[in-house]
């Protein structure tokens, strides 16, 4: 059975103060560090779980559940009248059933250079051209790249979005920047990717993401996203309340199916019956061994013989 998909790389292009930033994961994990205001929370805001669900609601984007951090304000952060921007994330798993080789991976939060050596901290500045011009070392063959394109205009409400799920690799098979370092338009990107990579709505996009990465079904995929939102809250461990943690997990995790609960109860009953049978069988030889000792204590009497 193939291994699960893990995030390997992610990027933000022309969103907020990120012009062209790439983050590399190590073993499916990413550590961001930096001083206050360096963009750690913003990176989290525009990547998780937005890149998985495509929902641009400000209360869902902001880890603090505020309403001021809109995606439109992220795109027009530098005072532009209109702007294109992208967020993307690559997932990969090794081909076949061979386990992933983590021995040569860089430490969490560092980017590998073309030779595979860690060179840039994810908390710092990524190499120029991470949107498609930087060399990327060859990786596992089984990859899925999620791309969400956004366009905002100062005189229009909200953000127009386009969604793509592709088997191509960012920086290897395609890029999101043109020759003059401008983000590609939706039409330009459609020409670069596979014909079936584009999805028109966020609902269609979520269904395709679930099919390619998780295979959970629409309801369980939604519960997974809710759990990610709950666990993303800042200072989750401060003043830790076990009751609140239980409520958070209950709200985010899918309920256990009644048939599974009944099956578990039957299994426990079967275990109890097996244990009793084992105890009875274990005790039976000990009872048989006591009988000869009692017989040896009886007085010896001649047994009459009849002709």
């Amino acid at each position: 059975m193939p291994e699960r998909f893990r995030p390997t790389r992610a990027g933000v292009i022309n969103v907020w103060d990120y012009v062209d930033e790439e983050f590399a994961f190590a073993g499916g994990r990413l550590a961001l560090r930096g001083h206050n205001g360096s963009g750690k929370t913003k990176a989290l805001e525009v990547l998780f779980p937005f890149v998985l669900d495509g929902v641009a609601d400000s209360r869902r984007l902001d880890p603090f559940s505020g309403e001021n951090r809109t995606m439109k304000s992220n795109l027009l952060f530098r005072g532009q009248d209109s702007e294109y921007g992208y967020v993307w994330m690559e997932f990969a798993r090794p081909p076949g059933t061979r386990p992933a080789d983590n021995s040569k991976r860089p430490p969490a939060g560092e980017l590998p250079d073309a030779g595979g050596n860690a060179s840039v901290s994810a908390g710092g500045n990524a190499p120029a051209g991470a949107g498609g011009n930087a060399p990327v070392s060859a990786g596992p063959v089984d990859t899925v790249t999620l791309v969400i394109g956004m366009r905002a205009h100062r005189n229009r409400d909200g953000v127009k979005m386009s969604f793509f799920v592709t088997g191509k690799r960012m920086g290897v098979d395609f890029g999101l920047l043109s020759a003059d370092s401008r983000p590609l338009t939706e039409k330009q990107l459609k020409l670069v990717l596979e014909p079936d990579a584009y999805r028109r709505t966020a609902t269609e996009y979520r269904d395709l993401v679930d099919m390619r990465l998780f295979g959970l079904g629409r309801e369980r995929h939604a519960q997974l996203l809710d759990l990610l939102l709950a666990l993303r809250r800042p200072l989750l461990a401060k003043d830790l309340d076990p009751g609140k943690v239980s409520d958070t997990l209950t709200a985010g995790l899918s309920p256990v199916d009644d048939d599974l609960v009944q099956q578990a109860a039957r299994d426990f009953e079967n275990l109890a019956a097996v244990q009793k049978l084992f105890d009875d069988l274990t005790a039976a030889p000990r009872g048989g061994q006591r009988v000869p000792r009692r017989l040896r204590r009886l007085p010896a009497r001649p047994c009459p013989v009849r002709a």
Side-chain angles (χ1 to χ4, degrees), residues 49-247:
F50 175 64
V51 78
L52 295 176
D53 64 10
V55 178
D57 182 271
S58 58
R59 290 168 296 182
R60 195 175 179 89
L61 292 174
D62 186 358
F64 297 93
S65 300
E67 299 184 8
N68 296 325
R69 301 183 181 186
T70 65
M71 190 60 76
K72 179 179 177 179
S73 66
N74 288 333
L75 286 165
L76 303 180
F77 178 74
R78 292 180 292 275
Q80 314 94 305
D81 288 332
S82 64
E83 194 60 87
Y84 273 100
Y86 285 97
V87 295
W88 61 272
M89 185 172 293
E90 178 189 84
F91 293 80
R93 64 182 177 187
T97 58
R98 291 176 297 174
D101 181 7
N102 296 324
S103 61
K104 296 182 180 179
R105 294 191 180 207
E110 293 189 356
L111 304 178
D113 60 22
N117 300 315
S119 59
V120 181
S121 169
N125 297 320
N133 300 322
V136 180
S137 59
V141 297
D142 199 0
T143 62
V144 176
T145 303
L146 312 180
V147 182
I148 299 181
M150 299 163 287
R151 185 180 184 184
H153 193 282
R154 184 167 300 280
N155 298 325
R156 298 174 190 166
D157 293 333
V159 173
K160 183 180 184 299
M161 294 189 291
S162 52
F163 308 94
F164 301 87
V165 180
T166 176
K168 295 185 176 182
R169 298 196 67 202
M170 168 70 73
V172 177
D173 306 307
F174 75 100
L176 294 173
L177 297 176
S178 63
D180 59 353
S181 298
R182 292 290 303 162
L184 299 182
T185 65
E186 177 184 304
K187 183 177 180 180
Q188 290 172 324
L189 186 55
K190 284 181 179 179
L191 296 175
V192 173
L193 301 180
E194 307 95 327
D196 61 346
Y198 171 73
R199 287 297 183 271
R200 184 175 58 88
T201 67
T203 300
E204 295 174 352
Y205 172 73
R206 284 193 297 272
D207 289 342
L208 184 56
V209 169
D210 177 49
M211 184 185 73
R212 295 289 297 274
L213 295 180
F214 306 112
L216 298 174
R218 182 174 291 183
E219 181 179 354
R220 291 185 62 199
H221 186 218
Q223 291 167 340
L224 170 65
L225 296 173
D226 290 341
L227 179 60
L228 286 175
L229 284 170
L231 298 178
R232 191 189 65 167
R233 294 171 185 166
L235 305 178
L236 182 65
K238 184 178 180 180
D239 300 326
L240 189 63
D241 184 342
K244 290 183 180 179
V245 172
S246 176
D247 293 341

